[in-house]
Amino acid sequence: MYDHDVTTSGPRDNANTGPGAAEPGPRMPVSELARLWSSYAPGLGAIPARDPRAGAFRLFWSRADENGFRDFALGAGQHLIVGRHTRADVVLPSDPDLSLRHLLVVPEGTPLPSLRLVDLRATLPIFGASDRPARSLTVDGPFAVRLGTYLLGGFRVGAGAEPPPATLPPMEDVEPPSASEAFRTGGTHIGHDAGPYRSKRSTHITMLPRPITLVEASDAPSRGPAVATLIGRRDGKTARVALREEDLRRGVLVGRADKCLDRGLREVMTMQISRVHAVLLMDARNTVWLYDAGSTNGTLVSGTKVRSATLAEISPFTQRSTAVLGDGIEVELAPP
């Protein structure tokens, strides 16, 4: 049975929020990945999209007798949080090694968007059909990856979409010449044929660097000029962190955990901020988005609770909005 919602128990305290010394191996054999795809994907493909006129990815997950799906609209500002936390959009409750907030999923590129899976500094990496670990990646067609003991997969639905293949789709790992090249091409494989994915021989999985923390953004040697300054304010205290283009392309984590905090921001953040409260990410149009990561106390813009907001546009710099995290921490981007 396919279900949009999975009933879960409350999440345990999560220690799996930082990178380990060595990457853990896959928790599921490729044969099980293929079996789960063949068991569930064809049936899911027969279910009509809620809005057949709009392009979307049908994201689905499966583990033993637990499975579900969710249609994800491919529009600006759309995103999903995947993890064990009950506030996640896709709740995967049965693997205790998954993080509370494990992945951010966003559309990537134009005019036919891919999906980007962004690691939120979880302990377990992502594995496709190979045993090569990935921390962030894009997919440009039907895909299935191993996330702990779960299959996480998807395929396009809606206008112009074709049914998913009956068997595990062929997938090819692509290593871009450089991180900056991958981001300039929107995460898609250079030279990849355009058109419906059925005309391609395989889905390309483009490997990307994982997001950085504000500590890394402030401590790392210069990798180029800053394009924006992140400013945090609370109770008369202000902290600033210079951000470079590559930082914003990779993603910048904002929250109260040590992995997210710059030394200045320690004085600004409070316990009302989630461990990974939000992610800053610049898209292919050079717009910097703030994505709420399923935070406990939410994010406001102009007094309204939001899931995402545009903070600024780069080149030329144009400030768009100020976000308020939790109980009153103002976050905005200013010129460098």
Side-chain angles (χ1 to χ4, degrees):
M1 178 177 180
Y2 303 116
D3 192 357
H4 288 276
D5 300 306
V6 178
T7 303
T8 72
S9 58
R12 298 182 304 174
D13 290 341
N14 181 28
N16 303 325
T17 52
E23 294 282 32
R27 306 295 176 87
M28 175 193 295
V30 175
S31 59
E32 179 65 2
L33 186 74
R35 186 192 72 79
L36 291 171
W37 177 280
S38 299
S39 297
Y40 297 116
L44 287 177
I47 300 174
R50 290 184 175 180
D51 184 355
R53 299 167 299 174
F57 251 84
R58 177 157 291 165
L59 200 69
F60 72 99
W61 54 96
S62 181
R63 176 187 184 272
D65 58 352
E66 175 188 325
N67 59 87
F69 76 96
R70 179 165 182 160
D71 286 356
F72 176 48
L74 298 175
Q78 298 293 324
H79 73 288
L80 296 175
I81 299 298
V82 179
R84 284 193 300 114
H85 202 293
T86 54
R87 296 186 64 86
D89 302 298
V90 174
V91 181
L92 306 180
S94 300
D95 187 340
D97 291 328
L98 296 183
S99 294
L100 295 179
R101 299 168 178 88
H102 203 103
L103 291 178
L104 165 72
V105 182
V106 294
E108 180 88 355
T110 56
L112 188 63
S114 305
L115 276 193
R116 181 171 174 184
L117 279 59
V118 182
D119 173 83
L120 298 179
R121 285 299 173 115
T123 298
L124 294 183
I126 310 163
F127 293 93
S130 73
D131 287 346
R132 180 183 181 186
R135 285 298 179 174
S136 286
L137 53 84
T138 61
V139 294
D140 63 358
F143 76 97
V145 297
R146 293 172 286 171
L147 194 64
T149 56
Y150 282 90
L151 173 152
L152 182 68
F155 50 88
R156 288 191 180 95
V157 294
E162 297 189 23
T167 59
L168 186 68
M171 295 174 286
E172 176 187 352
D173 291 348
V174 175
E175 187 73 49
S178 65
S180 59
E181 183 67 25
F183 295 131
R184 282 199 298 272
T185 59
T188 57
H189 178 53
I190 302 166
H192 196 34
D193 294 336
Y197 56 68
R198 277 295 184 89
S199 65
K200 305 173 183 177
R201 287 179 296 179
S202 63
T203 294
H204 284 119
I205 298 180
T206 305
M207 305 296 183
L208 298 174
R210 75 190 307 174
I212 67 170
T213 67
L214 290 174
V215 171
E216 293 167 334
S218 60
D219 288 352
S222 177
R223 298 182 301 276
V227 297
T229 302
L230 177 68
I231 301 177
R233 298 189 184 93
R234 177 180 169 80
D235 295 336
K237 297 179 180 178
T238 301
R240 292 178 172 84
V241 180
L243 298 174
R244 300 161 184 84
E245 179 177 355
E246 184 180 337
D247 302 335
L248 291 168
R249 298 286 189 194
R250 292 176 64 168
V252 180
L253 304 183
V254 179
R256 67 177 167 83
D258 288 343
K259 64 182 177 179
C260 296
L261 293 183
D262 161 73
R263 291 173 177 79
L265 287 171
R266 290 180 190 276
E267 298 183 359
V268 176
M269 298 298 181
T270 72
M271 291 300 291
Q272 298 303 313
I273 298 298
S274 294
R275 291 183 180 275
V276 179
H277 194 103
V279 183
L280 304 181
L281 196 63
M282 185 157 66
D283 66 16
R285 295 186 176 91
N286 296 328
T287 299
V288 180
W289 289 86
L290 181 146
Y291 295 105
D292 185 273
S295 63
T296 301
N297 290 299
T299 298
L300 303 179
V301 173
S302 299
T304 301
K305 193 170 185 178
V306 299
R307 284 177 49 83
S308 63
T310 55
L311 293 190
E313 296 174 2
I314 309 297
S315 300
F317 187 92
T318 306
Q319 189 179 47
R320 291 301 183 191
S321 60
T322 298
V324 178
L325 311 183
D327 65 344
I329 299 168
E330 294 184 357
V331 173
E332 66 182 19
L333 287 182

